[in-house]
Amino acid sequence: MTITVNDIEKSVNSALTTTIKKSEVKFNQLFIDVDVENLISVILFLKTNEKCKFRQLIDITAVDFPKNEKRFRLVYFLLSHENNLRILINTNINEKIKPPSITKIFPSANWMEREVFDMYGITFKDHPDLRRILTDYGFEGHPLRKDFPLTGHTEVRYSEVKKKVISEPVKLDQEYRNFDFESPWEGTKYLKEEVNKNKDKNK
């Protein structure tokens, strides 16, 4: 018997009447909204229920809405191989809320939650090893937040003087950057200086 996405929606709505805020079928996928306190029970049900069988975690990501009271939307993508169906679980949280880690349900969530922490600064409660995974240890800020400057806070470059890679503060904020034909990045004047030095040496 083939189970459709509409069958899954009926099962979820009937079993989780009090925990599902909203459900909708789009693009042959089921989208559900839940409160963060119900996240664990909903994901556990979707994985263990014999009709649902969403036994693979595809990804965890977030969306930043800085003007909203609940700034972040956490999105969980699950796949059912047996039914060939996908489900997206959305939960909205503010900056102070620590959503629960789902590493005990899906061990693969470990690195996914670390990436969300690194990029958005969302801290997962009871995560076994929550530390940055994509940026460096001394990195400041969280790059996928919408208030993070496009230039970043520091730039990394090779110094001819020191003969090594150095890290230094960005010299110009994004909104005051001037564009010209020689160098589109005001912060990389040192490149032009190095070129001029080399020209002088070759004369």
Side-chain angles (χ1 to χ4, degrees):
M1 177 182 171
T2 303
I3 295 176
T4 67
V5 67
N6 293 314
D7 295 330
I8 297 293
E9 184 181 26
K10 287 175 186 174
S11 295
V12 168
N13 283 327
S14 62
L16 304 171
T17 309
T18 58
T19 52
I20 298 290
K21 292 173 66 180
K22 177 185 172 186
S23 69
E24 186 180 9
V25 175
K26 294 188 291 187
F27 316 112
N28 200 36
Q29 296 180 102
L30 180 59
F31 292 72
I32 61 173
D33 292 352
V34 301
D35 288 323
V36 68
E37 56 267 22
N38 297 321
L39 187 63
I40 293 288
S41 60
V42 170
I43 290 177
L44 198 56
F45 172 83
L46 292 170
K47 181 180 182 181
T48 58
N49 180 267
E50 278 306 307
K51 184 173 272 188
C52 297
K53 299 180 181 179
F54 288 97
R55 292 175 182 154
Q56 183 175 354
L57 175 66
I58 298 295
D59 200 6
I60 303 171
T61 189
V63 188
D64 184 13
F65 299 100
K67 293 181 181 178
N68 291 358
E69 182 185 348
K70 292 186 175 181
R71 176 173 182 171
F72 298 110
R73 177 181 298 160
L74 272 173
V75 187
Y76 296 77
F77 299 80
L78 303 181
L79 171 66
S80 170
H81 289 280
E82 290 92 335
N83 299 322
N84 192 26
L85 293 173
R86 295 172 187 266
I87 190 167
L88 280 79
I89 304 149
N90 298 306
T91 185
N92 296 313
I93 59 170
N94 63 40
E95 290 185 72
K96 294 180 181 178
I97 294 293
K98 294 182 179 180
S101 172
I102 63 166
T103 51
K104 289 183 180 177
I105 304 172
F106 291 106
S108 62
N110 190 321
W111 282 20
M112 298 175 192
E113 289 175 354
R114 283 179 61 189
E115 183 176 345
V116 172
F117 164 70
D118 195 356
M119 296 292 104
Y120 293 94
I122 297 171
T123 304
F124 291 88
K125 187 180 178 183
D126 298 325
H127 189 283
D129 185 24
L130 195 62
R131 56 195 165 97
R132 291 187 182 271
I133 192 171
L134 296 177
T135 59
D136 205 354
Y137 293 109
F139 192 87
E140 293 179 22
H142 304 281
L144 290 185
R145 287 190 176 203
K146 288 181 181 170
D147 54 7
F148 188 84
L150 294 182
T151 55
H153 298 294
T154 58
E155 61 180 341
V156 178
R157 67 178 181 87
Y158 180 77
S159 169
E160 277 292 339
V161 176
K162 297 182 179 179
K163 300 295 182 189
K164 66 176 185 177
V165 174
I166 62 169
S167 179
E168 59 188 15
V170 172
K171 297 177 181 67
L172 190 68
D173 290 335
Q174 174 73 16
E175 56 268 33
Y176 298 114
R177 184 187 300 144
N178 294 318
F179 289 91
D180 62 6
F181 292 106
E182 291 183 88
S183 173
W185 301 98
E186 189 68 24
T188 54
K189 281 184 177 178
Y190 61 86
L191 289 176
K192 190 159 58 176
E193 291 168 3
E194 292 300 327
V195 170
N196 291 335
K197 281 181 188 175
N198 290 333
K199 282 182 182 177
D200 292 339
K201 287 179 183 177
N202 294 329
K203 283 183 181 178

